[in-house]
Amino acid sequence: MSAVRYLPNPSPKARKAALSTGCVLALLAANGPAATGFAERAWHQYAVNQPAYKAGYGHWDVVDVPARFRVNAIHAALLRTGKVLLIAGSGNDEKNFRAGTFRSVLWDPVRNTFKTVPTPKDMFCAGHAQLPDGRLLVAGGTARYEKLTGDVDRAGGAMLVKNENPDAPRAFPAGTVFTGSTGKRYRSQVPVLVPRAKKEVSEHGKGRKKKKKVRVTASQARVYVEAVTAGESGITHTADQYRIQGLRGKDGHDLYGLAAKLGLDKKDFQGLKDAYEFDPIAERYVPVDPMSEARWYPTLVTLEDGRVLAVSGLDDMGEIIPGKNEIYDPRTHRWSAGPNRYFPTYPALFLTGGGRLFYSGSNAGYGPADKGRAPGLWNVETNSFVPVPGLPRQDMTETSASVLLPPAQDRKVMLMGGGGVGESHESTPRTAIADLSVPSPRFAPGPDLPQGTRYLNAVLTPDDRVFTTGGSRDYRGKRGSDILRAQFYDPARRAFRTAAAPTVGRDYHTEALLLPDGRIAVFGSNPLFADKDDTRMGVFEQRIEVYTPPYLYRDRRPALPSAPREAERGGVVRLPGTDPRQKVTARLMRPSAVTHATDVEQRSIALTVGVRDGALTVTVPEDPSLVPAGWYMLFLTDRAGTPSRAAWVHVR
């Protein structure tokens, strides 16, 4: 669609200034559609670049990215250095996956410089969270690409490797061959470690008749296998026991494989167990303890004590994890078991009052329509889940956006847009708001979006608004359905206001985030097709587009606060160099880490403003469920809604 259709009405001043251009348009219209189209584009470019238009609607600019730094941005995270980490991994390109070509790029939006970062694993479709010390935790990713029925040339599936030896574990490398009773052979695709068997000794009887009884319970580990022989001859329809190549005698007896059906049906993506911390100062990935479960499409959410909960995802067999969640401790760099609860992939989970997590119902990609869709409040400590009612059509929350509305003290979460499960053509314009501050929260309808929208990106701004942009009406932009439209949501007025239209269509695999200077950057887009008839394959969008909001086109903005680098929860922070006479509000804004329209990191926290010793002060709330430890952007915003540049503050 042409951006011209979404051009907000220019001000009367802009229309008057462009009157002569309109006359030219009329003359050109007589010379044919091509001339008219050219003239319309010229008018559009003229109108959106007028000062009055920018002050009313903002402005979009495409960033000049050198060719060698262009990546298929699947993930975007703002670091405490002000740089943006763009993670592609294999970038949804199986050729890159097979070649082991995994990419990450650091972008400095101030200097507009780029740097390639060595990327050790395929972090495509991983999860991520900001850690208390400013590092970024990245966990999971891709171990195998999806294969559709008809493209699968070797039968495969899950093999349970059993160990009946209680004295020693056993490791098997990738490529280990398992042979069944019929002679069919299957080869493991990844290494597998099988723990030692469990040995229990008990005594029975009394006196001389007392006897010891030893009970051994076999351990097991699961590994994905594929047939050595291609085609239908590799299919096995019945359960069987498999010998492990190279084992003899007692080892051959104690160690073996078990599998049910191994077929040529569809094979979903498989996850990784690997986890890394990205160091924003050294600008490199540092390996940490791997997860116990492989995860692809997981959500990582920060808890009130600074630990991180990993939820959902596809496992090492390509199956959705039935509820095995785990917790990362950044002090020990290790994982432990978390509460067992099922969610669809990339569930939107927000830390809220009392340390509970609110599941809004937003999710992306995988999971049945009738399971795990109900929103609710989850107590991670007790593993209790209280549904939050009021949201109809819970099967329409896939690919929706959810945000913790500003300021975070209001404890309100808004769900926007979304669509049907899987590759559904359905989308919805609805929004809904849950007020979590009341004893019995429930969703209430909000104002509709201009049209049904999947993959909407939503970004909090320092003036207590939510900027939304992009998306598509159909699944992955099918039928030319990308939406070249943007708007601001004002929570105080419960209304949307039109913003300047972007020039680049964005749907699946798009990210947007707030920069420290108050602008908003948008990355990625992975449409299936490149035309309205869905006849030409789509190309991953590698352009970066930056939106400058109207508040940055005003004459003056508050001075950058000279904030200390450290702050305590519940403490008063003096801001040297500020004018105590200026009337401003103050917000701590947590930097984004976003993928698949899922950003559970961003939050905007209102600070109490005061005066001390000739300078402004701000008071940081004490509640760790409101202000989890970490690095924040501190913005001062004047009465007109114009923000300062951000100062980085480390809240302990």
Side-chain angles (χ1 to χ4, degrees):
M1 292 186 178
S2 170
V4 176
R5 299 183 185 178
Y6 298 116
L7 176 65
N9 290 328
S11 66
K13 181 179 179 181
R15 285 186 175 277
K16 185 176 180 181
L19 183 60
S20 59
T21 304
C23 295
V24 173
L25 279 175
L27 290 173
L28 289 174
N31 294 315
T36 302
F38 173 80
E40 286 178 344
R41 290 191 294 273
W43 155 248
H44 172 77
Q45 288 301 313
Y46 174 84
V48 301
N49 283 289
Q50 296 307 299
Y53 182 89
K54 292 179 181 179
Y57 302 103
H59 187 73
W60 290 89
D61 294 285
V62 176
V63 175
D64 182 18
V65 183
R68 68 183 183 278
F69 295 117
R70 296 172 191 166
V71 295
N72 295 357
I74 307 295
H75 312 264
L78 178 64
L79 307 176
R80 71 176 184 89
T81 57
K83 297 180 181 179
V84 178
L85 179 64
L86 300 176
I87 305 174
S90 58
N92 202 16
D93 188 330
E94 193 168 4
K95 292 180 182 178
N96 291 338
F97 177 78
R98 290 176 179 175
T101 303
F102 311 135
R103 299 191 65 197
S104 300
V105 166
L106 266 178
W107 173 47
D108 184 336
V110 175
R111 298 179 177 85
N112 197 35
T113 58
F114 298 84
K115 175 184 176 181
T116 297
V117 177
T119 307
K121 291 284 185 174
D122 191 3
M123 297 172 180
F124 167 56
C125 293
H128 30 55
Q130 303 280 1
L131 295 177
D133 66 355
R135 295 189 179 208
L136 181 76
L137 177 65
V138 183
T142 304
R144 181 195 68 191
Y145 264 66
E146 173 186 67
K147 288 193 175 183
L148 303 177
T149 302
D151 294 332
V152 181
D153 55 8
R154 293 177 189 272
M159 178 79 68
L160 286 179
V161 186
K162 309 284 280 190
N163 183 4
E164 295 184 1
N165 183 355
D167 298 323
R170 192 61 178 264
F172 295 98
T176 298
V177 174
F178 298 80
T179 305
S181 61
T182 63
K184 292 183 179 180
R185 299 187 301 157
Y186 298 86
R187 182 178 288 115
S188 63
Q189 301 301 296
V190 293
V192 61
L193 174 64
V194 193
R196 68 186 71 208
K198 184 178 180 181
K199 182 178 180 180
E200 296 175 301
V201 179
S202 59
E203 293 186 349
H204 299 272
K206 297 181 180 180
R208 294 181 179 181
K209 294 184 178 180
K210 185 183 292 186
K211 294 183 179 180
K212 289 185 177 181
K213 184 177 181 181
V214 178
R215 180 182 178 184
V216 175
T217 303
S219 66
Q220 66 184 36
R222 192 171 60 167
V223 66
Y224 185 79
V225 298
E226 286 188 349
V228 173
T229 304
E232 294 184 1
S233 62
I235 296 175
T236 295
H237 291 288
T238 58
D240 199 1
Q241 182 167 319
Y242 292 80
R243 303 188 313 274
I244 302 177
Q245 186 179 56
L247 299 187
R248 299 287 185 272
K250 189 174 185 305
D251 281 349
H253 175 270
D254 290 342
L255 293 143
Y256 52 90
L258 293 175
K261 178 185 176 182
L262 298 170
L264 290 169
D265 48 347
K266 176 188 173 183
K267 312 297 181 185
D268 275 320
F269 284 92
Q270 290 178 346
L272 288 174
K273 296 182 178 181
D274 302 77
Y276 295 83
E277 290 183 2
F278 186 82
D279 185 332
I281 304 302
E283 298 183 343
R284 66 186 183 95
Y285 291 102
V286 179
V288 296
D289 186 42
M291 297 180 289
S292 62
E293 294 289 325
R295 298 182 189 273
W296 187 85
Y297 265 51
T299 290
L300 270 58
V301 58
T302 301
L303 303 176
E304 66 175 347
D305 61 4
R307 295 180 301 160
V308 176
L309 177 66
V311 177
S312 192
L314 300 189
D315 63 16
D316 53 354
M317 297 294 120
E319 299 171 356
I320 191 166
I321 296 171
K324 297 178 182 178
N325 307 307
E326 48 196 307
I327 297 175
Y328 181 76
D329 189 334
R331 294 167 298 181
T332 62
H333 309 290
R334 300 190 70 83
W335 297 86
S336 60
N340 193 297
R341 185 164 295 279
Y342 171 88
F343 293 94
T345 56
Y346 280 137
L349 297 162
F350 296 91
L351 179 64
T352 188
R356 296 171 298 172
L357 297 178
F358 175 62
Y359 170 51
S360 69
S362 290
N363 62 91
Y366 292 81
D370 58 352
K371 185 178 180 183
R373 305 278 169 170
L377 284 162
W378 181 23
N379 187 317
V380 174
E381 294 300 320
T382 63
N383 197 20
S384 60
F385 188 88
V386 179
V388 171
L391 186 69
R393 288 297 308 271
Q394 293 171 4
D395 61 335
M396 289 290 287
T397 59
E398 196 163 287
T399 65
S400 61
S402 288
V403 293
L404 179 61
L405 289 174
Q409 281 92 335
D410 288 350
R411 307 285 192 188
K412 293 180 179 179
V413 173
M414 186 175 191
L415 181 147
M416 294 180 278
V421 174
E423 298 185 16
S424 167
H425 294 297
E426 281 191 283
S427 62
T428 177
R430 74 153 175 208
T431 73
I433 301 169
D435 184 350
L436 307 178
S437 67
V438 299
S440 300
R442 62 181 296 114
F443 273 101
D448 278 354
L449 295 164
Q451 60 198 103
T453 309
R454 303 174 70 116
Y455 318 107
L456 185 71
N457 277 273
V459 180
L460 307 183
T461 56
D463 58 349
D464 284 352
R465 289 174 171 80
V466 183
F467 176 73
T468 69
T469 183
S472 63
R473 294 189 310 279
D474 204 339
Y475 174 77
R476 289 187 63 178
K478 279 186 174 181
R479 300 185 286 192
S481 61
D482 281 355
I483 299 169
L484 293 176
R485 190 189 291 271
Q487 49 272 321
F488 285 93
Y489 176 71
D490 186 340
R493 293 182 172 85
R494 292 178 59 89
F496 283 100
R497 178 171 61 85
T498 301
T503 61
V504 180
R506 310 279 182 177
D507 47 70
Y508 182 55
H509 285 152
T510 299
E511 308 82 44
L513 51 77
L514 178 71
L515 298 174
D517 61 7
R519 296 179 300 160
I520 295 163
V522 187
F523 317 90
S525 188
N526 196 179
L528 272 179
F529 300 102
D531 64 327
K532 291 182 179 180
D533 296 325
D534 294 348
T535 60
R536 293 185 289 113
M537 295 304 297
V539 177
F540 202 107
E541 179 57 68
Q542 295 184 330
R543 285 176 291 177
I544 299 172
E545 198 169 19
V546 174
Y547 175 70
T548 303
Y551 56 56
L552 293 182
Y553 287 102
R554 295 167 189 157
D555 292 336
R556 299 182 63 182
R557 60 191 304 188
L560 175 70
S562 301
R565 302 283 285 183
E566 304 290 333
E568 299 288 338
R569 282 193 295 256
V572 177
V573 179
R574 184 173 177 271
L575 306 178
T578 53
D579 183 354
R581 296 169 299 178
Q582 60 182 332
K583 303 299 182 182
V584 295
T585 58
R587 297 291 182 264
L588 279 182
M589 303 194 72
R590 192 170 175 89
S592 288
V594 57
T595 185
H596 292 74
T598 304
D599 186 354
V600 301
E601 285 293 317
Q602 64 171 342
R603 60 178 52 209
S604 178
I605 303 147
L607 307 181
T608 302
V609 179
V611 177
R612 179 185 294 176
D613 300 329
L616 293 175
T617 63
V618 293
T619 302
V620 180
E622 193 172 3
D623 185 354
S625 71
L626 181 65
V627 193
W631 285 83
Y632 289 80
M633 294 179 285
L634 171 61
F635 286 95
L636 300 181
T637 303
D638 66 19
R639 285 181 169 179
T642 306
S644 67
R645 294 179 182 271
W648 285 96
V649 179
H650 187 201
V651 178
R652 295 184 178 275

